[in-house]
Amino acid sequence: VLADGTLMFRSYKKWGIECVKHFRGLYSLAIYDKKEGCLYLVADHVSARCLYYYVEDGEATFSTLLTGQSFFLWGNDPVHAHYILKVA
């Protein structure tokens, strides 16, 4: 039995971003392809699993919860630093 994240990762390695055509169900995910220098933000076909994002000055933030975004936008959410990833 594979965890959802492992299955999605293996699917991406096999099919690239076209892997989402094979997914069924409710999901949202972020894939950063370092080789391509590309960040993919993907949600299921009806966006039942919300994925909020904000882009400004070449930087992007994203979260499945608005509270996650509020830290970056308004600085009032108690997000711990170990949950924040900066990709350069």
Side-chain angles (χ1 to χ4, degrees), residues 60-81:
T61 63
F62 56 91
S63 176
T64 56
L65 301 171
L66 277 176
T67 54
Q69 287 294 83
S70 68
F71 172 79
F72 293 102
L73 301 177
W74 302 287
N76 62 358
D77 194 273
V79 176
H80 301 290

Side-chain angles (χ1 to χ4, degrees), residues 3-73:
D4 292 347
T6 301
L7 184 60
M8 289 175 161
F9 174 73
R10 289 184 181 177
S11 297
Y12 181 75
K13 287 187 75 155
K14 181 175 182 174
W15 293 302
I17 196 57
E18 298 296 312
C19 67
V20 298
K21 294 180 179 178
H22 300 273
F23 296 165
R24 301 290 180 266
L26 310 177
Y27 63 89
S28 62
L29 69 133
I31 300 170
Y32 177 69
D33 190 315
K34 192 172 185 176
K35 190 186 303 184
E36 290 184 26
C38 189
L39 173 65
Y40 299 101
L41 300 177
V42 185
D44 59 84
H45 67 286
V46 293
S47 294
R49 299 287 295 179
C50 296
L51 185 59
Y52 302 98
Y53 67 94
Y54 179 77
V55 179
E56 182 178 349
D57 297 329
E59 293 187 0
T61 63
F62 56 91
S63 176
T64 56
L65 301 171
L66 277 176
T67 54
Q69 287 294 83
S70 68
F71 172 79
F72 293 102
L73 301 177

